[in-house]
């Protein structure tokens, strides 16, 4: 798959033996992908093929913040558990991740010994720190903008991508099953590496 302008182009490499279908059509040459295109690689039998859905970030709905008001509360607890005041459903968020406390007209945030930490203005904090209006708090894939009496919550799971270069996977000293693989993960995209199973044997 190759990025061309603002779109991605899907192309069948020479020597490929497994059939590839795009939205039900057999792919024989390069084709530009559209939002929600469905790609199927391999056999048409269930369980013997890989199915991928292409989601275009530019075609998805615009990000809308969620306002979190303190009201009469002096503390807000944030985490994955349903008992929190702010529940964030992500495996990157601990069950009880952080706590924001209002002290007079000021706010401070405390990391509740979370696994992936709390970041304020892109710096991971230790213990607790004071917050100012305009500060940006990141917890997992969520971003919070600190206001005068509220937090604006943004879900960034739809806008994060990952570029990985030169990956290798050694299962023992003489066997490398992934050799210098480079991958690009687009927002909300699942990338699958498909290959022959079995154990390589030395002659």
């Amino acid at each position: 798959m190759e990025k061309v302008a603002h779109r991605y182009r899907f192309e069948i490499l020479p020597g490929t033996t497994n059939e590839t279908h795009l939205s039900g059509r057999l792919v024989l040459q390069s084709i530009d992908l559209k939002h929600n295109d469905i790609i199927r690689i391999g056999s048409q039998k269930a369980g013997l093929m890989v199915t991928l859905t292409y989601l275009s970030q530019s075609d998805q709905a615009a990000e809308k913040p969620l306002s979190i008001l303190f009201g009469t509360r002096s503390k807000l607890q944030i985490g994955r558990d349903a008992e929190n005041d702010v529940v964030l459903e992500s495996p990157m968020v601990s069950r009880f991740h952080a706590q924001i406390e209002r002290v007079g007209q000021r706010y401070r945030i405390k990391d509740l010994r979370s696994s992936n930490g709390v970041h304020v203005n892109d710096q991971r904090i230790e213990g607790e720190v004071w917050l100012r209006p305009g500060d940006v708090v990141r917890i997992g894939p969520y971003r919070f903008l600190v206001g005068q009496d509220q937090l604006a919550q943004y879900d960034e799971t739809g806008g994060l991508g990952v570029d990985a270069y030169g990956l290798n996977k050694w299962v023992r000293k003489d066997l490398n099953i992934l050799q210098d693989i480079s991958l690009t993960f687009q927002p909300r995209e699942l990338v699958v590496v498909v290959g022959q199973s079995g154990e390589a044997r030395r002659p």
Side-chain angles (χ1 to χ4, degrees), residues 106-185:
R106 303 178 67 193
Y107 296 92
R108 64 184 173 195
I109 187 168
K110 181 180 181 181
D111 187 345
L112 301 178
R113 297 182 179 180
S114 63
S115 299
N116 294 309
V118 176
H119 294 75
V120 176
N121 299 329
D122 295 326
Q123 297 293 322
R124 183 165 181 168
I125 69 171
E126 297 291 341
E128 58 185 35
V129 299
W130 290 98
L131 298 173
R132 296 172 297 180
D135 280 349
V136 175
V137 176
R138 293 186 183 275
I139 297 176
Y142 297 89
R143 172 169 56 95
F144 297 87
L145 181 62
V146 180
Q148 291 293 342
D149 58 356
Q150 66 178 10
L151 299 173
Q153 175 186 327
Y154 296 83
D155 181 353
E156 294 189 333
T157 57
L160 297 178
V162 175
D163 292 324
Y165 301 97
L167 298 179
N168 291 273
K169 175 61 177 178
W170 292 87
V171 295
R172 61 176 188 245
K173 291 183 178 180
D174 62 338
L175 179 58
N176 182 8
I177 60 175
L178 283 181
Q179 300 180 19
D180 197 25
I181 299 295
S182 296
L183 299 171
T184 296
F185 296 81

